[in-house]
Amino acid sequence: MKFDSVARTIAATVVVAATLGLSAYSTPPPTDVRDPDATRVAFYGDSYTLGTGASSADNRWSTVVSEQRDWSEFNPSVNGLGFINNRSIFGEGDLPSLIIADDPDIVVVTMGLNDNFSFDSRSDDIRAQITDDFDRLTTALPDARFIVVEPFWYTDERPASVETIIGWVKDAATDNGADYISGASRWIEGHPEWMASDGLHPNDDGYTEIAKRMDQALRNLGL
């Protein structure tokens, strides 16, 4: 199947999921009591960081790597969200504002996948918003360590926009002095058995693989 037809099908499904997720976008999700002495880590991401497709939030990669390191995890990630795609709030009440309010020691950014679905009509906006989000977060959290992950991808077919957005994210990370983890867009490539029944998101095995790759990448950064 050609990418354009795949993308239309996937985009329609993701929009529905995003609409549901954004209904609670302006308020933080409930969290467990957090250890005040633990390293606070906030995750800025979409469904692949939220853990959609996993049998439990305990199996999402962000929670696995956080538990391995005794991190206090804050993960308000949203289904279908991009820097621009399915985003209706910019400023107070958006996901970056929640991360800023959490005052984390580390911020992990995993955004960009869903912007491929808006690329043809909003590429200039996407590029500008990547820069704006990074500048805003790093300015508001000058003492935090930023770790930017190459945007995830989910099919073996890759439109040209995937590499373009990856490049923009990497450039913004470099410009803001953030650590950068490359290769994540191919971590589950070629393994349909690692995908959930919806065909869009990893299953528990897929998240296990992402967690293994992320664990090693974080170790390479000294974490």
Side-chain angles (χ1 to χ4, degrees):
M1 183 180 293
K2 297 294 186 182
F3 174 78
D4 56 355
S5 61
V6 173
R8 285 194 295 270
T9 301
I10 300 304
T13 305
V14 171
V15 166
V16 173
T19 301
L20 295 174
L22 286 169
S23 66
Y25 184 27
S26 61
T27 58
T31 58
D32 295 331
V33 176
R34 300 169 69 185
D35 181 353
D37 298 321
T39 299
R40 298 175 72 89
V41 182
F43 293 84
Y44 179 19
D46 51 35
S47 58
Y48 271 54
T49 300
L50 181 63
T52 303
S55 61
S56 166
D58 291 338
N59 295 323
R60 65 187 180 186
W61 67 264
S62 64
T63 299
V64 171
V65 299
S66 294
E67 290 180 348
Q68 289 170 338
R69 291 161 173 77
D70 294 322
W71 285 348
S72 175
E73 177 190 7
F74 178 62
N75 186 346
S77 300
V78 174
N79 279 319
L81 185 67
F83 289 102
I84 285 293
N85 198 61
N86 293 321
R87 183 170 174 180
S88 59
I89 304 174
F90 299 87
E92 185 60 32
D94 65 1
L95 197 152
S97 74
L98 303 184
I99 290 172
I100 291 167
D102 189 64
D103 193 22
D105 301 299
I106 299 172
V107 178
V108 180
V109 180
T110 59
M111 292 283 286
L113 184 159
N114 291 294
D115 290 301
N116 288 279
F117 304 123
S118 301
F119 188 84
D120 289 346
S121 60
R122 303 198 66 184
S123 59
D124 289 343
D125 293 337
I126 293 165
R127 186 174 191 176
Q129 194 59 46
I130 291 170
T131 299
D132 288 351
D133 278 2
F134 277 62
D135 289 350
R136 177 181 166 205
L137 285 164
T138 55
T139 298
L141 299 169
D143 297 325
R145 181 174 181 177
F146 281 79
I147 300 169
V148 179
V149 180
E150 177 181 294
F152 295 120
W153 190 244
Y154 63 98
T155 63
D156 294 349
E157 291 187 76
R158 298 161 67 94
S161 61
V162 172
E163 295 301 331
T164 300
I165 292 172
I166 286 173
W168 291 343
V169 169
K170 185 176 182 179
D171 288 346
T174 300
D175 290 345
N176 284 277
D179 294 306
Y180 185 76
I181 294 175
S182 62
S185 68
R186 297 189 182 274
W187 282 355
I188 58 173
E189 185 177 69
H191 289 276
E193 73 277 12
W194 290 346
M195 298 299 288
S197 59
D198 64 6
L200 306 175
H201 302 96
N203 57 22
D204 287 346
D205 290 338
Y207 283 116
T208 295
E209 181 64 21
I210 292 174
K212 289 179 181 177
R213 299 287 192 109
M214 195 70 71
D215 174 63
Q216 185 57 60
L218 292 170
R219 289 177 184 274
N220 291 343
L221 294 174
L223 294 170

